Amino acid sequence: MTEEKIEYIQWYPGHMAKANREIKEKLKLIDVVIEVVDARLPLSSKNPEINQYTWNKQHILLLNKADLADPDVSQDWIDWFKKNTDIQEIMLYDAFDRRHKTELVKQIQRLNVKNKAQLKCMICGIPNVGKSTVINSLIGKKKTQVGNKPGVTKGQQWLSTPDKLMLLDTPGILWPKFEDPLVGLHLAWLGSIKDTIYEKENIAADLLKYLVAYYPDELEVLYKITLDDKNLPEVFDAIAKSRGLLLRAGEYDYTRTSVLLLNDFKNGRIGRITLERP
Ligand SMILES: Nc1nc2c(ncn2[C@@H]2O[C@H](COP(=O)(O)OP(=O)(O)OP(=O)(O)O)[C@@H](O)[C@H]2O)c(=O)[nH]1
Ligand SMILES: [Mg+2]
């Protein structure tokens, strides 16, 4: 069995089961659950198990990284969540925009129906959606460790904000089984599962297929290529050629081209893109 195969089977690792247990232990203290998803894939990045934590809590859903998502589709998602869930507050969020922070504090305080002196909020979600960055935005300082890869936060941590909130940062958690196999692929695009679980070339090819269909102009501009009626391998070649990613004369380096495409997407360089529609 290859190493990748083993990792695939063990992709719901022991530390996530532990993180899940620790979240359940803290729930009785919590007033507000702030669930964070990635606005570029709001449904795939939403852990269905979090509903078990929120039924008797105030619940806020943040579609974070909204600055990287397609604004038109984001609005459709807000409408969809309002119609199809009973979550109290649903917000587009950019953790680096202070206006969003001000609005979020206002919404949290609006949910303080019992007029508590200090509200306790738990921030949870899958890995790499920006939970710790959201906390830093609410504090106004870099108090938690962040990074664009899964599993940066290893344990829970309480932090207080100038607005008298107590925030609990939690490690990203996934759920043990994806009903839809596409979800695993989507989470690899977001960097929410380790990118060694799938072959990079396969993840990149599926991403490229989506981008060619929905965001052709962005691809043409970033990579200085023309799509015309090129098929997928030809588009790959064109990107490799444009970026000079060659193995030897006349032979393109698909691994480096795949890594380039995945990183450009993860870091928002391709443009404002949403990979899932309601
Ligand atoms: N563009 C953009 N990037 C963001 C935003 N929020 C977070 N990020 C970036 O996303 C990456 C992950 O952020 P973290 O806060 O570490 O994510 P996390 O959910 O705490 O991740 P784990 O602790 O690994 O579960 C970092 O590179 C952040 O800078 C946002 O609103 N917009
Ligand atoms: Mg974190």
Side-chain angles (χ1 to χ4, degrees), residues 8 14 16 18 24 39 67-68 84-85 110 120 131 148 155 162 164 178 187 206 217 223 225 235 240 250 278:
Y8 179 77
M16 265 185 209
K18 179 163 173 265
K24 285 188 187 142
D67 55 309
L68 304 180
N84 293 287
T85 67
R110 215 176 53 79
K120 293 194 173 63
K131 298 176 295 301
N148 206 350
K164 297 198 172 56
F178 299 142
L187 299 186
D206 278 299
D217 298 346
Y223 297 117
I225 56 172
V235 178

PDB file of all heavy atoms in Angstrom, residues 8 14 16 18 24 39 67-68 84-85 110 120 131 148 155 162 164 178 187 206 217 223 225 235 240 250 278:
ATOM      1  N   TYR A   8      -4.986   8.308   3.476  1.00  0.00           N
ATOM      2  CA  TYR A   8      -6.365   8.526   3.087  1.00  0.00           C
ATOM      3  C   TYR A   8      -7.286   7.850   4.100  1.00  0.00           C
ATOM      4  O   TYR A   8      -8.257   8.426   4.556  1.00  0.00           O
ATOM      5  CB  TYR A   8      -6.616   7.981   1.683  1.00  0.00           C
ATOM      6  CG  TYR A   8      -8.039   8.183   1.263  1.00  0.00           C
ATOM      7  CD1 TYR A   8      -8.468   9.434   0.855  1.00  0.00           C
ATOM      8  CD2 TYR A   8      -8.963   7.150   1.344  1.00  0.00           C
ATOM      9  CE1 TYR A   8      -9.778   9.656   0.522  1.00  0.00           C
ATOM     10  CE2 TYR A   8     -10.275   7.362   1.004  1.00  0.00           C
ATOM     11  CZ  TYR A   8     -10.686   8.623   0.590  1.00  0.00           C
ATOM     12  OH  TYR A   8     -11.991   8.830   0.272  1.00  0.00           O
ATOM     13  N   GLY A  14      -6.607  10.922  15.172  1.00  0.00           N
ATOM     14  CA  GLY A  14      -6.924  10.882  16.592  1.00  0.00           C
ATOM     15  C   GLY A  14      -7.025  12.262  17.219  1.00  0.00           C
ATOM     16  O   GLY A  14      -7.899  12.513  18.044  1.00  0.00           O
ATOM     17  N   MET A  16      -8.143  14.926  16.051  1.00  0.00           N
ATOM     18  CA  MET A  16      -9.425  15.590  15.761  1.00  0.00           C
ATOM     19  C   MET A  16     -10.546  15.035  16.620  1.00  0.00           C
ATOM     20  O   MET A  16     -11.431  15.777  17.068  1.00  0.00           O
ATOM     21  CB  MET A  16      -9.788  15.423  14.297  1.00  0.00           C
ATOM     22  CG  MET A  16      -9.354  16.607  13.485  1.00  0.00           C
ATOM     23  SD  MET A  16      -9.906  16.435  11.823  1.00  0.00           S
ATOM     24  CE  MET A  16      -8.595  17.372  11.038  1.00  0.00           C
ATOM     25  N   LYS A  18     -10.105  13.964  19.549  1.00  0.00           N
ATOM     26  CA  LYS A  18      -9.831  14.562  20.849  1.00  0.00           C
ATOM     27  C   LYS A  18     -10.348  16.007  20.885  1.00  0.00           C
ATOM     28  O   LYS A  18     -11.019  16.431  21.837  1.00  0.00           O
ATOM     29  CB  LYS A  18      -8.319  14.525  21.101  1.00  0.00           C
ATOM     30  CG  LYS A  18      -7.881  15.139  22.406  1.00  0.00           C
ATOM     31  CD  LYS A  18      -6.452  14.685  22.743  1.00  0.00           C
ATOM     32  CE  LYS A  18      -5.919  15.415  23.938  1.00  0.00           C
ATOM     33  NZ  LYS A  18      -5.118  16.609  23.589  1.00  0.00           N
ATOM     34  N   LYS A  24     -16.988  19.481  23.130  1.00  0.00           N
ATOM     35  CA  LYS A  24     -18.238  19.070  23.811  1.00  0.00           C
ATOM     36  C   LYS A  24     -18.155  19.356  25.306  1.00  0.00           C
ATOM     37  O   LYS A  24     -19.134  19.780  25.923  1.00  0.00           O
ATOM     38  CB  LYS A  24     -18.512  17.592  23.562  1.00  0.00           C
ATOM     39  CG  LYS A  24     -19.012  17.347  22.153  1.00  0.00           C
ATOM     40  CD  LYS A  24     -19.474  15.923  21.948  1.00  0.00           C
ATOM     41  CE  LYS A  24     -19.795  15.679  20.488  1.00  0.00           C
ATOM     42  NZ  LYS A  24     -19.397  14.356  20.022  1.00  0.00           N
ATOM     43  N   ALA A  39     -15.970  31.253   2.475  1.00  0.00           N
ATOM     44  CA  ALA A  39     -16.989  31.781   1.553  1.00  0.00           C
ATOM     45  C   ALA A  39     -16.831  31.242   0.130  1.00  0.00           C
ATOM     46  O   ALA A  39     -17.766  31.282  -0.653  1.00  0.00           O
ATOM     47  CB  ALA A  39     -16.927  33.313   1.526  1.00  0.00           C
ATOM     48  N   ASP A  67     -13.382  38.304   0.994  1.00  0.00           N
ATOM     49  CA  ASP A  67     -12.598  39.107   0.049  1.00  0.00           C
ATOM     50  C   ASP A  67     -12.067  38.253  -1.107  1.00  0.00           C
ATOM     51  O   ASP A  67     -11.704  38.787  -2.147  1.00  0.00           O
ATOM     52  CB  ASP A  67     -11.418  39.783   0.781  1.00  0.00           C
ATOM     53  CG  ASP A  67     -10.551  38.789   1.532  1.00  0.00           C
ATOM     54  OD1 ASP A  67     -11.102  37.977   2.315  1.00  0.00           O
ATOM     55  OD2 ASP A  67      -9.324  38.796   1.329  1.00  0.00           O
ATOM     56  N   LEU A  68     -12.001  36.934  -0.921  1.00  0.00           N
ATOM     57  CA  LEU A  68     -11.491  36.050  -1.976  1.00  0.00           C
ATOM     58  C   LEU A  68     -12.617  35.430  -2.803  1.00  0.00           C
ATOM     59  O   LEU A  68     -12.371  34.780  -3.814  1.00  0.00           O
ATOM     60  CB  LEU A  68     -10.653  34.914  -1.367  1.00  0.00           C
ATOM     61  CG  LEU A  68      -9.465  35.327  -0.481  1.00  0.00           C
ATOM     62  CD1 LEU A  68      -8.749  34.087   0.043  1.00  0.00           C
ATOM     63  CD2 LEU A  68      -8.485  36.200  -1.257  1.00  0.00           C
ATOM     64  N   ASN A  84     -32.699  28.385   4.420  1.00  0.00           N
ATOM     65  CA  ASN A  84     -32.644  26.939   4.677  1.00  0.00           C
ATOM     66  C   ASN A  84     -32.096  26.524   6.042  1.00  0.00           C
ATOM     67  O   ASN A  84     -31.956  25.334   6.300  1.00  0.00           O
ATOM     68  CB  ASN A  84     -31.811  26.254   3.582  1.00  0.00           C
ATOM     69  CG  ASN A  84     -32.495  26.336   2.227  1.00  0.00           C
ATOM     70  OD1 ASN A  84     -33.481  25.644   1.997  1.00  0.00           O
ATOM     71  ND2 ASN A  84     -32.013  27.211   1.380  1.00  0.00           N
ATOM     72  N   THR A  85     -31.735  27.477   6.895  1.00  0.00           N
ATOM     73  CA  THR A  85     -31.246  27.119   8.225  1.00  0.00           C
ATOM     74  C   THR A  85     -31.931  28.024   9.249  1.00  0.00           C
ATOM     75  O   THR A  85     -32.567  29.014   8.870  1.00  0.00           O
ATOM     76  CB  THR A  85     -29.715  27.333   8.365  1.00  0.00           C
ATOM     77  OG1 THR A  85     -29.439  28.733   8.305  1.00  0.00           O
ATOM     78  CG2 THR A  85     -28.941  26.615   7.269  1.00  0.00           C
ATOM     79  N   ARG A 110     -25.959  41.910  20.267  1.00  0.00           N
ATOM     80  CA  ARG A 110     -27.405  41.849  20.059  1.00  0.00           C
ATOM     81  C   ARG A 110     -27.968  40.506  20.558  1.00  0.00           C
ATOM     82  O   ARG A 110     -29.117  40.409  20.960  1.00  0.00           O
ATOM     83  CB  ARG A 110     -27.697  42.000  18.560  1.00  0.00           C
ATOM     84  CG  ARG A 110     -28.963  42.753  18.225  1.00  0.00           C
ATOM     85  CD  ARG A 110     -29.087  42.925  16.714  1.00  0.00           C
ATOM     86  NE  ARG A 110     -28.965  41.640  16.003  1.00  0.00           N
ATOM     87  CZ  ARG A 110     -29.952  40.749  15.895  1.00  0.00           C
ATOM     88  NH1 ARG A 110     -31.119  40.981  16.418  1.00  0.00           N
ATOM     89  NH2 ARG A 110     -29.757  39.618  15.230  1.00  0.00           N
ATOM     90  N   LYS A 120     -19.478  34.472  26.516  1.00  0.00           N
ATOM     91  CA  LYS A 120     -18.467  33.481  26.123  1.00  0.00           C
ATOM     92  C   LYS A 120     -18.822  32.915  24.750  1.00  0.00           C
ATOM     93  O   LYS A 120     -19.902  32.369  24.555  1.00  0.00           O
ATOM     94  CB  LYS A 120     -18.397  32.369  27.161  1.00  0.00           C
ATOM     95  CG  LYS A 120     -17.858  32.844  28.501  1.00  0.00           C
ATOM     96  CD  LYS A 120     -17.479  31.664  29.375  1.00  0.00           C
ATOM     97  CE  LYS A 120     -16.780  32.116  30.637  1.00  0.00           C
ATOM     98  NZ  LYS A 120     -17.655  32.946  31.500  1.00  0.00           N
ATOM     99  N   LYS A 131     -10.322  30.647  11.585  1.00  0.00           N
ATOM    100  CA  LYS A 131     -10.873  30.822  12.941  1.00  0.00           C
ATOM    101  C   LYS A 131      -9.971  31.707  13.804  1.00  0.00           C
ATOM    102  O   LYS A 131     -10.429  32.657  14.440  1.00  0.00           O
ATOM    103  CB  LYS A 131     -11.033  29.443  13.628  1.00  0.00           C
ATOM    104  CG  LYS A 131     -11.991  28.518  12.905  1.00  0.00           C
ATOM    105  CD  LYS A 131     -12.049  27.150  13.550  1.00  0.00           C
ATOM    106  CE  LYS A 131     -10.741  26.355  13.474  1.00  0.00           C
ATOM    107  NZ  LYS A 131     -10.259  26.093  12.114  1.00  0.00           N
ATOM    108  N   ASN A 148      -1.383  29.426   6.636  1.00  0.00           N
ATOM    109  CA  ASN A 148      -2.204  28.891   5.549  1.00  0.00           C
ATOM    110  C   ASN A 148      -1.953  27.404   5.314  1.00  0.00           C
ATOM    111  O   ASN A 148      -1.470  26.991   4.275  1.00  0.00           O
ATOM    112  CB  ASN A 148      -1.956  29.700   4.272  1.00  0.00           C
ATOM    113  CG  ASN A 148      -3.149  29.657   3.336  1.00  0.00           C
ATOM    114  OD1 ASN A 148      -4.080  28.881   3.556  1.00  0.00           O
ATOM    115  ND2 ASN A 148      -3.133  30.466   2.308  1.00  0.00           N
ATOM    116  N   GLY A 155      -4.510  23.296  20.290  1.00  0.00           N
ATOM    117  CA  GLY A 155      -5.327  23.093  21.483  1.00  0.00           C
ATOM    118  C   GLY A 155      -6.212  24.304  21.709  1.00  0.00           C
ATOM    119  O   GLY A 155      -6.069  25.330  21.044  1.00  0.00           O
ATOM    120  N   PRO A 162     -11.263  43.661  23.803  1.00  0.00           N
ATOM    121  CA  PRO A 162     -11.569  44.964  24.395  1.00  0.00           C
ATOM    122  C   PRO A 162     -13.080  45.195  24.536  1.00  0.00           C
ATOM    123  O   PRO A 162     -13.504  46.020  25.345  1.00  0.00           O
ATOM    124  CB  PRO A 162     -10.976  45.970  23.393  1.00  0.00           C
ATOM    125  CG  PRO A 162     -10.008  45.196  22.576  1.00  0.00           C
ATOM    126  CD  PRO A 162     -10.467  43.779  22.575  1.00  0.00           C
ATOM    127  N   LYS A 164     -15.138  43.202  25.829  1.00  0.00           N
ATOM    128  CA  LYS A 164     -15.605  42.353  26.935  1.00  0.00           C
ATOM    129  C   LYS A 164     -16.195  41.023  26.475  1.00  0.00           C
ATOM    130  O   LYS A 164     -17.163  40.527  27.040  1.00  0.00           O
ATOM    131  CB  LYS A 164     -16.646  43.087  27.797  1.00  0.00           C
ATOM    132  CG  LYS A 164     -16.098  44.332  28.477  1.00  0.00           C
ATOM    133  CD  LYS A 164     -17.012  44.728  29.621  1.00  0.00           C
ATOM    134  CE  LYS A 164     -16.430  45.830  30.460  1.00  0.00           C
ATOM    135  NZ  LYS A 164     -16.087  47.029  29.677  1.00  0.00           N
ATOM    136  N   PHE A 178     -17.100  11.665   4.596  1.00  0.00           N
ATOM    137  CA  PHE A 178     -17.724  12.558   3.625  1.00  0.00           C
ATOM    138  C   PHE A 178     -18.769  11.766   2.844  1.00  0.00           C
ATOM    139  O   PHE A 178     -18.435  10.793   2.175  1.00  0.00           O
ATOM    140  CB  PHE A 178     -16.692  13.101   2.630  1.00  0.00           C
ATOM    141  CG  PHE A 178     -15.608  13.903   3.273  1.00  0.00           C
ATOM    142  CD1 PHE A 178     -14.297  13.809   2.816  1.00  0.00           C
ATOM    143  CD2 PHE A 178     -15.872  14.752   4.323  1.00  0.00           C
ATOM    144  CE1 PHE A 178     -13.290  14.552   3.400  1.00  0.00           C
ATOM    145  CE2 PHE A 178     -14.872  15.507   4.900  1.00  0.00           C
ATOM    146  CZ  PHE A 178     -13.575  15.399   4.439  1.00  0.00           C
ATOM    147  N   LEU A 187     -12.014  20.265  -0.100  1.00  0.00           N
ATOM    148  CA  LEU A 187     -11.259  20.650   1.091  1.00  0.00           C
ATOM    149  C   LEU A 187      -9.761  20.659   0.814  1.00  0.00           C
ATOM    150  O   LEU A 187      -9.016  21.416   1.439  1.00  0.00           O
ATOM    151  CB  LEU A 187     -11.609  19.740   2.267  1.00  0.00           C
ATOM    152  CG  LEU A 187     -13.085  19.796   2.669  1.00  0.00           C
ATOM    153  CD1 LEU A 187     -13.330  18.983   3.925  1.00  0.00           C
ATOM    154  CD2 LEU A 187     -13.571  21.218   2.849  1.00  0.00           C
ATOM    155  N   ASP A 206      -8.898  19.012 -11.476  1.00  0.00           N
ATOM    156  CA  ASP A 206     -10.318  19.263 -11.199  1.00  0.00           C
ATOM    157  C   ASP A 206     -10.586  20.739 -10.943  1.00  0.00           C
ATOM    158  O   ASP A 206     -11.613  21.267 -11.347  1.00  0.00           O
ATOM    159  CB  ASP A 206     -10.771  18.429  -9.991  1.00  0.00           C
ATOM    160  CG  ASP A 206     -11.091  17.013 -10.427  1.00  0.00           C
ATOM    161  OD1 ASP A 206     -11.984  16.851 -11.255  1.00  0.00           O
ATOM    162  OD2 ASP A 206     -10.412  16.095  -9.959  1.00  0.00           O
ATOM    163  N   ASP A 217     -11.843  34.308 -17.812  1.00  0.00           N
ATOM    164  CA  ASP A 217     -11.138  35.594 -17.984  1.00  0.00           C
ATOM    165  C   ASP A 217     -10.024  35.730 -16.957  1.00  0.00           C
ATOM    166  O   ASP A 217      -8.920  36.189 -17.269  1.00  0.00           O
ATOM    167  CB  ASP A 217     -12.108  36.769 -17.835  1.00  0.00           C
ATOM    168  CG  ASP A 217     -13.197  36.732 -18.895  1.00  0.00           C
ATOM    169  OD1 ASP A 217     -13.024  35.968 -19.868  1.00  0.00           O
ATOM    170  OD2 ASP A 217     -14.208  37.442 -18.731  1.00  0.00           O
ATOM    171  N   TYR A 223      -2.379  34.186 -16.121  1.00  0.00           N
ATOM    172  CA  TYR A 223      -1.309  33.383 -16.738  1.00  0.00           C
ATOM    173  C   TYR A 223      -0.917  33.863 -18.130  1.00  0.00           C
ATOM    174  O   TYR A 223      -0.084  33.232 -18.792  1.00  0.00           O
ATOM    175  CB  TYR A 223      -1.725  31.911 -16.771  1.00  0.00           C
ATOM    176  CG  TYR A 223      -1.904  31.354 -15.368  1.00  0.00           C
ATOM    177  CD1 TYR A 223      -3.144  30.903 -14.935  1.00  0.00           C
ATOM    178  CD2 TYR A 223      -0.835  31.315 -14.477  1.00  0.00           C
ATOM    179  CE1 TYR A 223      -3.318  30.422 -13.648  1.00  0.00           C
ATOM    180  CE2 TYR A 223      -1.011  30.834 -13.183  1.00  0.00           C
ATOM    181  CZ  TYR A 223      -2.249  30.396 -12.777  1.00  0.00           C
ATOM    182  OH  TYR A 223      -2.418  29.931 -11.500  1.00  0.00           O
ATOM    183  N   ILE A 225      -2.504  33.745 -20.968  1.00  0.00           N
ATOM    184  CA  ILE A 225      -2.753  32.701 -21.953  1.00  0.00           C
ATOM    185  C   ILE A 225      -4.083  33.001 -22.643  1.00  0.00           C
ATOM    186  O   ILE A 225      -4.840  33.860 -22.188  1.00  0.00           O
ATOM    187  CB  ILE A 225      -2.858  31.296 -21.299  1.00  0.00           C
ATOM    188  CG1 ILE A 225      -3.942  31.286 -20.208  1.00  0.00           C
ATOM    189  CG2 ILE A 225      -1.508  30.877 -20.700  1.00  0.00           C
ATOM    190  CD1 ILE A 225      -4.256  29.922 -19.639  1.00  0.00           C
ATOM    191  N   VAL A 235      -4.720  23.476 -21.820  1.00  0.00           N
ATOM    192  CA  VAL A 235      -4.680  24.647 -20.927  1.00  0.00           C
ATOM    193  C   VAL A 235      -3.526  24.479 -19.927  1.00  0.00           C
ATOM    194  O   VAL A 235      -2.764  25.414 -19.671  1.00  0.00           O
ATOM    195  CB  VAL A 235      -6.020  24.837 -20.174  1.00  0.00           C
ATOM    196  CG1 VAL A 235      -5.942  26.023 -19.226  1.00  0.00           C
ATOM    197  CG2 VAL A 235      -7.170  25.019 -21.156  1.00  0.00           C
ATOM    198  N   ALA A 240       1.923  26.069 -18.121  1.00  0.00           N
ATOM    199  CA  ALA A 240       3.317  25.643 -17.895  1.00  0.00           C
ATOM    200  C   ALA A 240       4.266  26.408 -18.806  1.00  0.00           C
ATOM    201  O   ALA A 240       5.320  26.896 -18.379  1.00  0.00           O
ATOM    202  CB  ALA A 240       3.439  24.143 -18.124  1.00  0.00           C
ATOM    203  N   GLY A 250      10.726  21.025 -24.378  1.00  0.00           N
ATOM    204  CA  GLY A 250       9.505  20.473 -24.971  1.00  0.00           C
ATOM    205  C   GLY A 250       8.646  19.648 -24.031  1.00  0.00           C
ATOM    206  O   GLY A 250       7.590  19.175 -24.420  1.00  0.00           O
ATOM    207  N   PRO A 278     -25.297  27.830  -4.727  1.00  0.00           N
ATOM    208  CA  PRO A 278     -26.450  27.249  -4.019  1.00  0.00           C
ATOM    209  C   PRO A 278     -27.425  26.597  -5.011  1.00  0.00           C
ATOM    210  O   PRO A 278     -27.513  27.012  -6.134  1.00  0.00           O
ATOM    211  CB  PRO A 278     -27.097  28.434  -3.328  1.00  0.00           C
ATOM    212  CG  PRO A 278     -26.429  29.656  -3.789  1.00  0.00           C
ATOM    213  CD  PRO A 278     -25.257  29.290  -4.624  1.00  0.00           C
TER     214      PRO A 278
END
